[in-house]
Amino acid sequence: MYATTLAGTRHTFPDLKSVLAAATPLRSGDVLAGISASSMAQRVAARYVLADLPLTTFLSEAVIPYEADEVTRLIVDTHDAGAFARVSHMTVGQLREWLLTDDADASALAQLSPGLTPEMVAAVCKLMRNQDLIAVARKRQVVTAFRNTIGLKGRLSVRIQPNHPTDDPTGIAASILDGLLNGCGDAVIGINPASDSVETQILLLRLIDDLRERYAIPTQSCVLAHLTNTIAAIEQQAPVDLVFQSIAGTEAANRGFGIDLAMLREGRDAGLSLARHTVGANVMYFETGQGSALSAGAHHGVDQQTLETRAYAVARAFEPLLVNSVVGFIGPEYLYDGKQIARAALEDHFCGKLLGLPMGVDVCYTNHAEADQDDMDSILTLLGAAGVNFVMGVPGADDVMLNYQSTSYHDALYVRDVLGLHPAPEFEDWLMSLGILDAAGRIQDPRLTAGASERLLSYGGVGK
């Protein structure tokens, strides 16, 4: 039992997860789950309780029992007590204050990451303003590599997302080339297939790999099929670079995705067995999103932001190249409007970075949400300032297969230009070698660029 008195009113909370839920900024998913604070006064009271809570509390009280959940067991069994020692004497409020000091620099945060549990990070996040989330996250660089190096300071990578409603190779190729000629694709060329066929997955993997090899593009490919399909494709010697899977913060929610931790280990081992990497061996690509456990009926009464952060413990165990919070994809039932989506985007990026993950964000919304592209422009700019590792590049910002709104190739160029950011170094060198980027890092009009850019445009008949 946790309690505090605020303005003459006694507020009580039966357990740790109820404190975390009540302290969370308002969002529709927690209201839907019946666990949100009943008033702003109760929310403030919960934050008072949380601020005074010793960090060691999170090592003795689990929000989901150890015996009932393999994600909890992973969190507890992999906790680094030595790394935690630096902050073990602190409360949640004191941790917030320390994170905002100059002492909490990039090196200190990197050393601390293994000592933090997701629940500690979720808790401190709930006490922070948006500017706090930006200020701390931008100090933490998380660098990963496969065929290029992602996450270096002053860099912003972009996933080309060339989805097609019928998996048409010509349409997909056109979208890929559009992205490449706009300087995108250094995070990954990643296709969400419309079909769940392993044969289609292999066809699309070969399409990307043919283009990549033909032009020696220093990037990686991924077809975002279910893990079991990808393992089957690897068994058929398909050109699999990254092994993808959606993950969540509870064992039950992961079962809803058709996976468990053992299967993720099998997938990572299979990806590594192909030895297709060059500059680094980060072979996993994970996607997450606030509300996924609630939508699966697997939230155990825990708020969606805390569960999202628990998903990062799952990701951390497999040393991924990319982790992508698809922040507004599930819909207004979980994040109602642009304000809630913006807060969640900054929360997810902050929490992932603090736990040592290479965080990207799909700045997105569904068409029935109370949001528009102006909201996405603002969120994209905030994330760029926060040091996000990568964002999405979707043709026209409108995904015609998944039917939601994201960010376009031109949006990525905007945020790189405004904030003085560059692509991954190996990819930037390649763009310059083809004349797609000039010496000042500006995109050149392919109609005015001779040689390799014209050959790119003619690939597979596109542009004829």
Side-chain angles (χ1 to χ4, degrees), residues 32-71:
L32 179 65
I35 59 175
S36 180
S38 59
S39 65
M40 182 55 75
Q42 188 186 49
R43 182 170 291 113
V44 171
R47 290 177 184 173
Y48 270 101
V49 171
L50 201 56
D52 290 336
L53 210 60
L55 291 175
T56 51
T57 305
F58 297 92
L59 301 178
S60 60
E61 183 176 350
V63 296
I64 302 173
Y66 182 94
E67 300 76 16
D69 186 89
E70 70 170 357
V71 176

Side-chain angles (χ1 to χ4, degrees), residues 3 18 50 108 128 170 178 188 201 282 318 333 389 422 435:
S18 64
L50 201 56
M128 302 182 94
T170 302
D178 186 20
V188 63
Q201 181 179 6
N282 301 113
F318 298 96
E333 299 85 354
N389 280 28
H422 297 264

Side-chain angles (χ1 to χ4, degrees), residues 251-394:
E251 179 180 349
N254 284 323
R255 280 202 307 267
F257 286 137
I259 60 160
D260 57 21
L261 298 180
M263 190 180 294
L264 291 174
R265 282 189 286 271
E266 180 185 355
R268 181 173 183 268
D269 290 344
L272 286 170
S273 73
L274 297 178
R276 292 174 56 81
H277 52 280
T278 56
V279 299
N282 301 113
V283 301
M284 301 299 287
Y285 175 16
F286 294 122
E287 288 194 342
T288 67
Q290 288 194 27
S292 59
L294 175 58
S295 69
H299 65 293
H300 298 276
V302 182
D303 70 273
Q304 63 186 41
Q305 187 259 328
T306 298
L307 291 180
E308 171 73 2
T309 311
R310 282 171 55 96
Y312 302 153
V314 176
R316 182 167 64 173
F318 298 96
E319 300 178 356
L321 179 77
L322 308 167
V323 178
N324 178 32
S325 167
V326 192
V327 65
F329 181 74
I330 304 182
E333 299 85 354
Y334 305 94
L335 295 170
Y336 179 71
D337 56 14
K339 179 181 176 67
Q340 291 187 15
I341 295 170
R343 174 68 191 191
L346 294 176
E347 289 172 345
D348 295 352
H349 179 251
F350 163 86
C351 291
K353 282 288 183 66
L354 209 54
L355 288 169
L357 288 177
M359 288 302 298
V361 177
D362 187 347
V363 181
C364 62
Y365 64 102
T366 57
N367 289 316
H368 63 309
E370 290 294 322
D372 58 27
Q373 213 63 35
D374 285 339
D375 293 311
M376 301 306 106
D377 289 347
S378 299
I379 298 168
L380 177 63
T381 307
L382 292 172
L383 286 167
V388 71
N389 280 28
F390 68 99
V391 295
M392 301 299 107
V394 178

